[in-house]
Amino acid sequence: MADQARLDTALRGQPSTGSVDRMRAVALAGICLDAVTTWVVFAAPGYREYNPLLAGLWDGHPLLVAGYFSGLALAVVVATGRHRRLSAAVSAYVVVVMGVFGGGNNLVLFAVGPPSPLAVVADAVGISGSTVVVTIAPACGLLVAAGAVCLRRGSRS
């Protein structure tokens, strides 16, 4: 056990902490939720993906979408490996943007039917769903990430 802790310290800079590991796990779960529900959106007739990047990748080849989500998951693992404020910020951002705005929106769409929550927001504000995805979702993610950093400021990891 001591050898494993020493190895973890050497590889990541310091031993793992439970709260950061849980945040990383929730962020990765958000990516997985978004990936699965996005795949269903593309495969099911009558549904529309608002993210123009994903729509372009899907048009190129469906495996590009899988590569996109796999790359994001790898980036989260790498970025959250040192257990500092960056870990909290990255995890919080991914949970909001991909878990809530991505996968959560798609789940509500499947469970309740159209219109999706993003479509309701877009109609209320008077902008397109794609604009919500590329402006409002990232802005909300940044606000939550900044809040997570402020909350982590008092902790030592």
Side-chain angles (χ1 to χ4, degrees):
M1 187 69 144
D3 291 335
Q4 183 62 38
R6 194 171 331 142
L7 178 63
D8 287 345
T9 301
L11 292 177
R12 293 191 222 148
Q14 65 188 55
S16 170
T17 61
S19 66
V20 174
D21 288 341
R22 283 189 297 275
M23 288 176 65
R24 179 187 311 141
V26 171
L28 292 173
I31 291 173
C32 291
L33 174 66
D34 194 15
V36 169
T37 59
T38 296
W39 200 274
V40 172
V41 164
F42 283 124
Y47 291 122
R48 180 172 174 245
E49 173 60 47
Y50 286 122
N51 187 330
L53 174 65
L54 291 175
L57 290 174
W58 185 267
D59 290 341
H61 195 281
L63 288 180
L64 293 174
V65 175
Y68 168 83
F69 284 109
S70 298
L72 285 175
L74 179 62
V76 167
V77 168
V78 169
T80 60
R82 297 203 49 108
H83 306 306
R84 296 208 172 113
R85 288 184 210 137
L86 176 64
S87 298
V90 168
S91 296
Y93 181 85
V94 168
V95 167
V96 169
V97 173
M98 300 194 77
V100 175
F101 279 93
N105 176 69
N106 292 341
L107 278 179
V108 171
L109 178 63
F110 302 146
V112 179
S116 71
L118 284 181
V120 171
V121 169
D123 289 343
V125 179
I127 57 177
S128 71
S130 296
T131 303
V132 172
V133 168
V134 299
T135 59
I136 294 175
C140 291
L142 288 173
L143 287 172
V144 171
V149 168
C150 289
L151 290 174
R152 298 282 304 170
R153 186 172 288 161
S155 69
R156 300 203 183 250
S157 57

